[in-house]
Amino acid sequence: MEWIYLILAGIFEITGVASISILNRKQNAASFLAMLATFSLSFLFLSLAMKTIPMSTAYAVWTGIGASGGTAAGIFLYNEPKSFIRVASIIIVLASAVGLKLIN
């Protein structure tokens, strides 16, 4: 169950980063509350995951999901540049997170 919490934490991290972009475009209370809610849920699920997953592993996987998901969201939702190097880098980050799961 803790790994599900960690994946949820990563998903909310991605939505939190995307909500920053929305907040930059629409500076209103709803956008701010959406950002606050998604980051709060991200930290909540991260803390639940860290009850049994070692901190170093949980943090590395959480940031890996957030970084690769944020990059993918930028490419697909915000027309950021995509290149072989960016995609390969995302794959390396995700493979590292899977490797950490396998050794714990």
Side-chain angles (χ1 to χ4, degrees), residues 3 10 12 19 25 29 32-33 57 59-60 68 78 80 82 97:
W3 283 97
F12 281 113
S19 69
R25 285 184 277 125
F32 178 76
L33 290 174
T57 300
Y59 183 72
S68 57
Y78 302 109
E80 292 181 1
K82 56 183 163 235

Side-chain angles (χ1 to χ4, degrees), residues 60 63-65 67-68 88-98:
T63 57
I65 292 170
S68 57
S89 297
I90 291 171
I91 291 169
I92 291 168
V93 168
L94 292 175
S96 299
V98 170

Side-chain angles (χ1 to χ4, degrees), residues 5-78:
Y5 290 148
L6 188 55
I7 291 167
L8 286 171
I11 290 169
F12 281 113
E13 181 73 7
I14 296 165
T15 57
V17 169
S19 69
I20 292 172
S21 181
I22 293 168
L23 181 62
N24 284 331
R25 285 184 277 125
K26 299 178 189 174
Q27 295 183 356
N28 58 36
S31 298
F32 178 76
L33 290 174
M35 181 193 68
L36 186 64
T38 54
F39 279 123
S40 295
L41 287 168
S42 179
F43 283 118
L44 170 69
F45 283 114
L46 178 62
S47 69
L48 292 172
M50 287 175 57
K51 289 186 178 193
T52 58
I53 299 172
M55 183 269 308
S56 58
T57 300
Y59 183 72
V61 171
W62 177 67
T63 57
I65 292 170
S68 57
T71 303
I75 290 170
F76 293 112
L77 300 176
Y78 302 109

